mmCIF file of all heavy atoms in Angstrom:
data_model
loop_
_atom_site.group_PDB
_atom_site.id
_atom_site.type_symbol
_atom_site.label_atom_id
_atom_site.label_comp_id
_atom_site.label_asym_id
_atom_site.label_seq_id
_atom_site.Cartn_x
_atom_site.Cartn_y
_atom_site.Cartn_z
ATOM 1 N N GLY A 113 -161.383 101.289 -53.143
ATOM 2 C CA GLY A 113 -162.447 100.384 -52.741
ATOM 3 C C GLY A 113 -162.033 99.376 -51.696
ATOM 4 O O GLY A 113 -162.890 98.769 -51.048
ATOM 5 N N VAL A 114 -160.717 99.189 -51.529
ATOM 6 C CA VAL A 114 -160.211 98.209 -50.563
ATOM 7 C C VAL A 114 -159.556 98.898 -49.377
ATOM 8 O O VAL A 114 -159.916 98.676 -48.222
ATOM 9 C CB VAL A 114 -159.218 97.242 -51.248
ATOM 10 C CG1 VAL A 114 -158.650 96.253 -50.238
ATOM 11 C CG2 VAL A 114 -159.908 96.512 -52.388
ATOM 12 N N GLN A 115 -158.578 99.720 -49.662
ATOM 13 C CA GLN A 115 -157.876 100.458 -48.615
ATOM 14 C C GLN A 115 -158.700 101.714 -48.258
ATOM 15 O O GLN A 115 -159.225 102.389 -49.137
ATOM 16 C CB GLN A 115 -156.486 100.873 -49.086
ATOM 17 C CG GLN A 115 -155.565 99.726 -49.338
ATOM 18 C CD GLN A 115 -154.449 99.602 -48.300
ATOM 19 O OE1 GLN A 115 -154.323 100.428 -47.402
ATOM 20 N NE2 GLN A 115 -153.656 98.564 -48.443
ATOM 21 N N GLN A 116 -158.773 102.011 -46.967
ATOM 22 C CA GLN A 116 -159.487 103.188 -46.488
ATOM 23 C C GLN A 116 -158.518 104.128 -45.781
ATOM 24 O O GLN A 116 -157.769 103.704 -44.911
ATOM 25 C CB GLN A 116 -160.609 102.767 -45.558
ATOM 26 C CG GLN A 116 -161.675 101.898 -46.226
ATOM 27 C CD GLN A 116 -162.322 102.578 -47.435
ATOM 28 O OE1 GLN A 116 -162.638 103.770 -47.393
ATOM 29 N NE2 GLN A 116 -162.508 101.837 -48.504
ATOM 30 N N GLY A 117 -158.561 105.392 -46.177
ATOM 31 C CA GLY A 117 -157.613 106.364 -45.608
ATOM 32 C C GLY A 117 -157.718 106.506 -44.121
ATOM 33 O O GLY A 117 -156.712 106.694 -43.432
ATOM 34 N N ALA A 118 -158.940 106.422 -43.573
ATOM 35 C CA ALA A 118 -159.117 106.586 -42.129
ATOM 36 C C ALA A 118 -158.440 105.447 -41.375
ATOM 37 O O ALA A 118 -157.774 105.682 -40.347
ATOM 38 C CB ALA A 118 -160.612 106.639 -41.780
ATOM 39 N N LYS A 119 -158.585 104.226 -41.847
ATOM 40 C CA LYS A 119 -157.929 103.092 -41.208
ATOM 41 C C LYS A 119 -156.419 103.236 -41.285
ATOM 42 O O LYS A 119 -155.695 102.965 -40.321
ATOM 43 C CB LYS A 119 -158.364 101.793 -41.874
ATOM 44 C CG LYS A 119 -157.629 100.551 -41.378
ATOM 45 C CD LYS A 119 -157.838 100.318 -39.884
ATOM 46 C CE LYS A 119 -157.153 99.046 -39.428
ATOM 47 N NZ LYS A 119 -157.295 98.846 -37.954
ATOM 48 N N THR A 120 -155.942 103.668 -42.429
ATOM 49 C CA THR A 120 -154.496 103.862 -42.579
ATOM 50 C C THR A 120 -153.980 104.913 -41.587
ATOM 51 O O THR A 120 -152.923 104.731 -40.980
ATOM 52 C CB THR A 120 -154.188 104.309 -44.029
ATOM 53 O OG1 THR A 120 -154.648 103.293 -44.926
ATOM 54 C CG2 THR A 120 -152.707 104.512 -44.235
ATOM 55 N N LEU A 121 -154.731 105.986 -41.412
ATOM 56 C CA LEU A 121 -154.323 107.016 -40.465
ATOM 57 C C LEU A 121 -154.269 106.489 -39.056
ATOM 58 O O LEU A 121 -153.344 106.798 -38.287
ATOM 59 C CB LEU A 121 -155.269 108.203 -40.533
ATOM 60 C CG LEU A 121 -154.977 109.338 -39.540
ATOM 61 C CD1 LEU A 121 -153.612 109.958 -39.800
ATOM 62 C CD2 LEU A 121 -156.076 110.402 -39.571
ATOM 63 N N GLU A 122 -155.237 105.673 -38.659
ATOM 64 C CA GLU A 122 -155.247 105.095 -37.307
ATOM 65 C C GLU A 122 -153.940 104.346 -37.026
ATOM 66 O O GLU A 122 -153.409 104.407 -35.913
ATOM 67 C CB GLU A 122 -156.429 104.148 -37.150
ATOM 68 C CG GLU A 122 -157.780 104.837 -37.061
ATOM 69 C CD GLU A 122 -158.915 103.845 -36.928
ATOM 70 O OE1 GLU A 122 -158.648 102.615 -37.024
ATOM 71 O OE2 GLU A 122 -160.059 104.264 -36.742
ATOM 72 N N VAL A 123 -153.448 103.640 -38.050
ATOM 73 C CA VAL A 123 -152.218 102.877 -37.883
ATOM 74 C C VAL A 123 -150.985 103.789 -37.924
ATOM 75 O O VAL A 123 -150.022 103.597 -37.165
ATOM 76 C CB VAL A 123 -152.122 101.796 -38.974
ATOM 77 C CG1 VAL A 123 -150.793 101.046 -38.882
ATOM 78 C CG2 VAL A 123 -153.287 100.811 -38.858
ATOM 79 N N CYS A 124 -151.005 104.776 -38.796
ATOM 80 C CA CYS A 124 -149.833 105.619 -39.011
ATOM 81 C C CYS A 124 -149.631 106.657 -37.906
ATOM 82 O O CYS A 124 -148.496 107.042 -37.613
ATOM 83 C CB CYS A 124 -149.951 106.367 -40.347
ATOM 84 S SG CYS A 124 -149.924 105.285 -41.789
ATOM 85 N N TRP A 125 -150.727 107.127 -37.311
ATOM 86 C CA TRP A 125 -150.602 108.253 -36.405
ATOM 87 C C TRP A 125 -149.676 107.985 -35.222
ATOM 88 O O TRP A 125 -148.863 108.868 -34.882
ATOM 89 C CB TRP A 125 -151.978 108.692 -35.908
ATOM 90 C CG TRP A 125 -151.885 109.702 -34.796
ATOM 91 C CD1 TRP A 125 -152.456 109.626 -33.563
ATOM 92 C CD2 TRP A 125 -151.170 110.950 -34.809
ATOM 93 N NE1 TRP A 125 -152.148 110.726 -32.808
ATOM 94 C CE2 TRP A 125 -151.366 111.561 -33.541
ATOM 95 C CE3 TRP A 125 -150.389 111.606 -35.759
ATOM 96 C CZ2 TRP A 125 -150.772 112.779 -33.220
ATOM 97 C CZ3 TRP A 125 -149.823 112.819 -35.449
ATOM 98 C CH2 TRP A 125 -150.017 113.398 -34.184
ATOM 99 N N PRO A 126 -149.708 106.830 -34.546
ATOM 100 C CA PRO A 126 -148.753 106.642 -33.449
ATOM 101 C C PRO A 126 -147.301 106.794 -33.879
ATOM 102 O O PRO A 126 -146.473 107.307 -33.118
ATOM 103 C CB PRO A 126 -149.056 105.210 -32.982
ATOM 104 C CG PRO A 126 -150.486 104.991 -33.346
ATOM 105 C CD PRO A 126 -150.664 105.703 -34.651
ATOM 106 N N MET A 127 -146.981 106.373 -35.104
ATOM 107 C CA MET A 127 -145.603 106.522 -35.603
ATOM 108 C C MET A 127 -145.249 107.993 -35.768
ATOM 109 O O MET A 127 -144.162 108.438 -35.431
ATOM 110 C CB MET A 127 -145.447 105.814 -36.947
ATOM 111 C CG MET A 127 -145.625 104.325 -36.913
ATOM 112 S SD MET A 127 -145.365 103.631 -38.571
ATOM 113 C CE MET A 127 -145.723 101.900 -38.233
ATOM 114 N N MET A 128 -146.184 108.760 -36.307
ATOM 115 C CA MET A 128 -145.945 110.193 -36.514
ATOM 116 C C MET A 128 -145.932 110.947 -35.178
ATOM 117 O O MET A 128 -145.123 111.852 -34.976
ATOM 118 C CB MET A 128 -147.007 110.755 -37.457
ATOM 119 C CG MET A 128 -147.001 110.082 -38.828
ATOM 120 S SD MET A 128 -148.151 110.825 -40.009
ATOM 121 C CE MET A 128 -149.729 110.294 -39.360
ATOM 122 N N ARG A 129 -146.819 110.563 -34.270
ATOM 123 C CA ARG A 129 -146.883 111.206 -32.959
ATOM 124 C C ARG A 129 -145.574 111.043 -32.207
ATOM 125 O O ARG A 129 -145.142 111.943 -31.464
ATOM 126 C CB ARG A 129 -148.028 110.588 -32.171
ATOM 127 C CG ARG A 129 -148.253 111.181 -30.782
ATOM 128 C CD ARG A 129 -149.259 110.337 -30.023
ATOM 129 N NE ARG A 129 -148.795 108.954 -29.912
ATOM 130 C CZ ARG A 129 -149.594 107.897 -29.831
ATOM 131 N NH1 ARG A 129 -150.907 108.043 -29.850
ATOM 132 N NH2 ARG A 129 -149.090 106.669 -29.737
ATOM 133 N N ASP A 130 -144.923 109.883 -32.390
ATOM 134 C CA ASP A 130 -143.679 109.629 -31.681
ATOM 135 C C ASP A 130 -142.480 110.321 -32.304
ATOM 136 O O ASP A 130 -141.345 110.164 -31.811
ATOM 137 C CB ASP A 130 -143.423 108.113 -31.635
ATOM 138 C CG ASP A 130 -144.412 107.371 -30.760
ATOM 139 O OD1 ASP A 130 -145.074 108.023 -29.945
ATOM 140 O OD2 ASP A 130 -144.530 106.142 -30.920
ATOM 141 N N ARG A 131 -142.709 111.088 -33.356
ATOM 142 C CA ARG A 131 -141.624 111.831 -34.024
ATOM 143 C C ARG A 131 -142.044 113.309 -34.144
ATOM 144 O O ARG A 131 -142.227 113.822 -35.259
ATOM 145 C CB ARG A 131 -141.343 111.221 -35.390
ATOM 146 C CG ARG A 131 -140.808 109.791 -35.306
ATOM 147 C CD ARG A 131 -140.861 109.097 -36.668
ATOM 148 N NE ARG A 131 -140.209 107.810 -36.674
ATOM 149 C CZ ARG A 131 -140.795 106.664 -36.282
ATOM 150 N NH1 ARG A 131 -142.042 106.686 -35.848
ATOM 151 N NH2 ARG A 131 -140.132 105.521 -36.344
ATOM 152 N N PRO A 132 -142.173 114.005 -33.031
ATOM 153 C CA PRO A 132 -142.703 115.384 -33.070
ATOM 154 C C PRO A 132 -141.797 116.354 -33.790
ATOM 155 O O PRO A 132 -142.239 117.455 -34.182
ATOM 156 C CB PRO A 132 -142.846 115.739 -31.583
ATOM 157 C CG PRO A 132 -141.853 114.855 -30.891
ATOM 158 C CD PRO A 132 -141.856 113.577 -31.657
ATOM 159 N N GLU A 133 -140.555 115.980 -34.013
ATOM 160 C CA GLU A 133 -139.624 116.882 -34.710
ATOM 161 C C GLU A 133 -139.872 116.904 -36.205
ATOM 162 O O GLU A 133 -139.302 117.757 -36.933
ATOM 163 C CB GLU A 133 -138.173 116.487 -34.436
ATOM 164 C CG GLU A 133 -137.753 115.122 -34.985
ATOM 165 C CD GLU A 133 -137.994 113.967 -34.053
ATOM 166 O OE1 GLU A 133 -139.092 113.908 -33.440
ATOM 167 O OE2 GLU A 133 -137.115 113.094 -33.939
ATOM 168 N N LEU A 134 -140.707 116.018 -36.726
ATOM 169 C CA LEU A 134 -140.964 115.930 -38.154
ATOM 170 C C LEU A 134 -141.967 116.996 -38.592
ATOM 171 O O LEU A 134 -143.053 117.105 -38.041
ATOM 172 C CB LEU A 134 -141.519 114.540 -38.510
ATOM 173 C CG LEU A 134 -141.935 114.328 -39.960
ATOM 174 C CD1 LEU A 134 -140.709 114.370 -40.877
ATOM 175 C CD2 LEU A 134 -142.662 112.995 -40.112
ATOM 176 N N ALA A 135 -141.590 117.790 -39.590
ATOM 177 C CA ALA A 135 -142.519 118.741 -40.207
ATOM 178 C C ALA A 135 -143.480 117.950 -41.085
ATOM 179 O O ALA A 135 -143.059 117.262 -42.009
ATOM 180 C CB ALA A 135 -141.750 119.774 -41.039
ATOM 181 N N LEU A 136 -144.786 118.068 -40.835
ATOM 182 C CA LEU A 136 -145.745 117.128 -41.401
ATOM 183 C C LEU A 136 -147.020 117.826 -41.860
ATOM 184 O O LEU A 136 -147.557 118.713 -41.175
ATOM 185 C CB LEU A 136 -146.086 116.066 -40.359
ATOM 186 C CG LEU A 136 -147.064 114.963 -40.745
ATOM 187 C CD1 LEU A 136 -146.481 114.072 -41.829
ATOM 188 C CD2 LEU A 136 -147.426 114.150 -39.506
ATOM 189 N N VAL A 137 -147.529 117.406 -43.014
ATOM 190 C CA VAL A 137 -148.860 117.746 -43.512
ATOM 191 C C VAL A 137 -149.488 116.435 -43.991
ATOM 192 O O VAL A 137 -148.823 115.616 -44.610
ATOM 193 C CB VAL A 137 -148.792 118.749 -44.682
ATOM 194 C CG1 VAL A 137 -150.167 118.937 -45.325
ATOM 195 C CG2 VAL A 137 -148.258 120.080 -44.209
ATOM 196 N N VAL A 138 -150.785 116.221 -43.688
ATOM 197 C CA VAL A 138 -151.471 115.050 -44.201
ATOM 198 C C VAL A 138 -152.498 115.496 -45.234
ATOM 199 O O VAL A 138 -153.165 116.521 -45.089
ATOM 200 C CB VAL A 138 -152.148 114.215 -43.086
ATOM 201 C CG1 VAL A 138 -151.088 113.640 -42.152
ATOM 202 C CG2 VAL A 138 -153.170 115.026 -42.337
ATOM 203 N N SER A 139 -152.632 114.668 -46.298
ATOM 204 C CA SER A 139 -153.592 114.977 -47.349
ATOM 205 C C SER A 139 -154.259 113.690 -47.808
ATOM 206 O O SER A 139 -153.741 112.593 -47.600
ATOM 207 C CB SER A 139 -152.900 115.657 -48.545
ATOM 208 O OG SER A 139 -151.948 114.790 -49.129
ATOM 209 N N SER A 140 -155.442 113.840 -48.416
ATOM 210 C CA SER A 140 -156.152 112.670 -48.900
ATOM 211 C C SER A 140 -157.290 113.092 -49.808
ATOM 212 O O SER A 140 -157.839 114.207 -49.655
ATOM 213 C CB SER A 140 -156.705 111.838 -47.748
ATOM 214 O OG SER A 140 -157.285 110.638 -48.215
ATOM 215 N N PHE A 141 -157.649 112.220 -50.747
ATOM 216 C CA PHE A 141 -158.896 112.388 -51.491
ATOM 217 C C PHE A 141 -160.084 111.931 -50.666
ATOM 218 O O PHE A 141 -161.239 112.195 -51.019
ATOM 219 C CB PHE A 141 -158.859 111.553 -52.777
ATOM 220 C CG PHE A 141 -157.982 112.118 -53.859
ATOM 221 C CD1 PHE A 141 -156.694 111.621 -54.053
ATOM 222 C CD2 PHE A 141 -158.425 113.135 -54.681
ATOM 223 C CE1 PHE A 141 -155.875 112.118 -55.042
ATOM 224 C CE2 PHE A 141 -157.624 113.647 -55.682
ATOM 225 C CZ PHE A 141 -156.342 113.141 -55.868
ATOM 226 N N ASP A 142 -159.828 111.247 -49.574
ATOM 227 C CA ASP A 142 -160.861 110.642 -48.723
ATOM 228 C C ASP A 142 -161.245 111.604 -47.596
ATOM 229 O O ASP A 142 -160.465 111.790 -46.642
ATOM 230 C CB ASP A 142 -160.322 109.344 -48.149
ATOM 231 C CG ASP A 142 -161.321 108.613 -47.278
ATOM 232 O OD1 ASP A 142 -162.446 109.130 -47.101
ATOM 233 O OD2 ASP A 142 -160.995 107.527 -46.757
ATOM 234 N N PRO A 143 -162.420 112.226 -47.632
ATOM 235 C CA PRO A 143 -162.794 113.176 -46.576
ATOM 236 C C PRO A 143 -162.899 112.515 -45.206
ATOM 237 O O PRO A 143 -162.622 113.165 -44.193
ATOM 238 C CB PRO A 143 -164.139 113.734 -47.043
ATOM 239 C CG PRO A 143 -164.644 112.759 -48.034
ATOM 240 C CD PRO A 143 -163.470 112.141 -48.682
ATOM 241 N N GLU A 144 -163.273 111.252 -45.154
ATOM 242 C CA GLU A 144 -163.351 110.571 -43.860
ATOM 243 C C GLU A 144 -162.003 110.493 -43.188
ATOM 244 O O GLU A 144 -161.902 110.587 -41.949
ATOM 245 C CB GLU A 144 -163.944 109.166 -44.026
ATOM 246 C CG GLU A 144 -165.408 109.175 -44.434
ATOM 247 C CD GLU A 144 -166.000 107.783 -44.488
ATOM 248 O OE1 GLU A 144 -165.293 106.820 -44.100
ATOM 249 O OE2 GLU A 144 -167.160 107.639 -44.916
ATOM 250 N N ALA A 145 -160.957 110.300 -43.976
ATOM 251 C CA ALA A 145 -159.608 110.279 -43.418
ATOM 252 C C ALA A 145 -159.230 111.612 -42.800
ATOM 253 O O ALA A 145 -158.622 111.688 -41.723
ATOM 254 C CB ALA A 145 -158.598 109.872 -44.483
ATOM 255 N N LEU A 146 -159.618 112.691 -43.479
ATOM 256 C CA LEU A 146 -159.276 114.031 -42.976
ATOM 257 C C LEU A 146 -160.155 114.412 -41.784
ATOM 258 O O LEU A 146 -159.709 115.150 -40.894
ATOM 259 C CB LEU A 146 -159.392 115.050 -44.098
ATOM 260 C CG LEU A 146 -158.424 114.842 -45.272
ATOM 261 C CD1 LEU A 146 -158.666 115.891 -46.353
ATOM 262 C CD2 LEU A 146 -156.976 114.866 -44.803
ATOM 263 N N VAL A 147 -161.396 113.958 -41.762
ATOM 264 C CA VAL A 147 -162.240 114.176 -40.586
ATOM 265 C C VAL A 147 -161.620 113.501 -39.362
ATOM 266 O O VAL A 147 -161.553 114.080 -38.283
ATOM 267 C CB VAL A 147 -163.675 113.643 -40.835
ATOM 268 C CG1 VAL A 147 -164.464 113.603 -39.530
ATOM 269 C CG2 VAL A 147 -164.391 114.521 -41.841
ATOM 270 N N LEU A 148 -161.138 112.279 -39.553
ATOM 271 C CA LEU A 148 -160.475 111.583 -38.446
ATOM 272 C C LEU A 148 -159.201 112.301 -38.053
ATOM 273 O O LEU A 148 -158.886 112.412 -36.852
ATOM 274 C CB LEU A 148 -160.157 110.146 -38.848
ATOM 275 C CG LEU A 148 -159.412 109.307 -37.797
ATOM 276 C CD1 LEU A 148 -160.240 109.197 -36.523
ATOM 277 C CD2 LEU A 148 -159.070 107.935 -38.355
ATOM 278 N N ALA A 149 -158.442 112.801 -39.037
ATOM 279 C CA ALA A 149 -157.226 113.528 -38.725
ATOM 280 C C ALA A 149 -157.506 114.758 -37.891
ATOM 281 O O ALA A 149 -156.742 115.108 -36.972
ATOM 282 C CB ALA A 149 -156.511 113.908 -40.014
ATOM 283 N N ARG A 150 -158.617 115.430 -38.173
ATOM 284 C CA ARG A 150 -158.980 116.620 -37.402
ATOM 285 C C ARG A 150 -159.203 116.257 -35.939
ATOM 286 O O ARG A 150 -158.832 117.018 -35.034
ATOM 287 C CB ARG A 150 -160.253 117.248 -37.976
ATOM 288 C CG ARG A 150 -160.697 118.507 -37.259
ATOM 289 C CD ARG A 150 -161.950 119.091 -37.879
ATOM 290 N NE ARG A 150 -162.301 120.367 -37.252
ATOM 291 C CZ ARG A 150 -163.335 121.119 -37.581
ATOM 292 N NH1 ARG A 150 -164.143 120.723 -38.576
ATOM 293 N NH2 ARG A 150 -163.564 122.249 -36.954
ATOM 294 N N ARG A 151 -159.763 115.099 -35.702
ATOM 295 C CA ARG A 151 -160.020 114.659 -34.319
ATOM 296 C C ARG A 151 -158.796 114.040 -33.674
ATOM 297 O O ARG A 151 -158.504 114.310 -32.492
ATOM 298 C CB ARG A 151 -161.167 113.650 -34.309
ATOM 299 C CG ARG A 151 -161.489 113.082 -32.923
ATOM 300 C CD ARG A 151 -162.720 112.200 -32.957
ATOM 301 N NE ARG A 151 -162.574 111.033 -33.824
ATOM 302 C CZ ARG A 151 -161.965 109.917 -33.442
ATOM 303 N NH1 ARG A 151 -161.417 109.809 -32.237
ATOM 304 N NH2 ARG A 151 -161.890 108.888 -34.280
ATOM 305 N N LEU A 152 -158.081 113.217 -34.424
ATOM 306 C CA LEU A 152 -156.993 112.434 -33.869
ATOM 307 C C LEU A 152 -155.720 113.245 -33.677
ATOM 308 O O LEU A 152 -155.006 113.109 -32.680
ATOM 309 C CB LEU A 152 -156.720 111.248 -34.791
ATOM 310 C CG LEU A 152 -155.939 110.057 -34.234
ATOM 311 C CD1 LEU A 152 -156.693 109.413 -33.093
ATOM 312 C CD2 LEU A 152 -155.701 109.036 -35.352
ATOM 313 N N CYS A 153 -155.418 114.098 -34.636
ATOM 314 C CA CYS A 153 -154.162 114.867 -34.602
ATOM 315 C C CYS A 153 -154.431 116.299 -35.078
ATOM 316 O O CYS A 153 -153.992 116.699 -36.161
ATOM 317 C CB CYS A 153 -153.068 114.216 -35.438
ATOM 318 S SG CYS A 153 -153.604 113.572 -37.057
ATOM 319 N N PRO A 154 -155.188 117.075 -34.295
ATOM 320 C CA PRO A 154 -155.645 118.389 -34.759
ATOM 321 C C PRO A 154 -154.524 119.380 -35.033
ATOM 322 O O PRO A 154 -154.728 120.316 -35.812
ATOM 323 C CB PRO A 154 -156.514 118.858 -33.590
ATOM 324 C CG PRO A 154 -156.071 118.061 -32.405
ATOM 325 C CD PRO A 154 -155.663 116.740 -32.935
ATOM 326 N N ALA A 155 -153.360 119.205 -34.422
ATOM 327 C CA ALA A 155 -152.265 120.127 -34.648
ATOM 328 C C ALA A 155 -151.547 119.911 -35.972
ATOM 329 O O ALA A 155 -150.785 120.772 -36.420
ATOM 330 C CB ALA A 155 -151.254 120.030 -33.513
ATOM 331 N N VAL A 156 -151.788 118.780 -36.619
ATOM 332 C CA VAL A 156 -151.153 118.504 -37.910
ATOM 333 C C VAL A 156 -152.008 119.102 -39.032
ATOM 334 O O VAL A 156 -153.200 118.780 -39.145
ATOM 335 C CB VAL A 156 -151.004 116.994 -38.132
ATOM 336 C CG1 VAL A 156 -150.419 116.708 -39.516
ATOM 337 C CG2 VAL A 156 -150.103 116.382 -37.047
#
Side-chain angles (χ1 to χ4, degrees):
V114 178
Q115 295 251 357
Q116 298 301 318
K119 174 61 177 177
T120 301
L121 178 63
E122 288 179 354
V123 176
C124 295
W125 171 235
M127 296 181 183
M128 299 185 288
R129 181 189 58 209
D130 292 342
R131 295 166 173 84
E133 66 271 44
L134 176 67
L136 180 66
V137 171
V138 295
S139 63
S140 185
F141 286 99
D142 181 0
E144 291 185 6
L146 297 179
V147 168
L148 178 61
R150 181 179 185 179
R151 178 174 61 82
L152 198 62
C153 42
V156 177

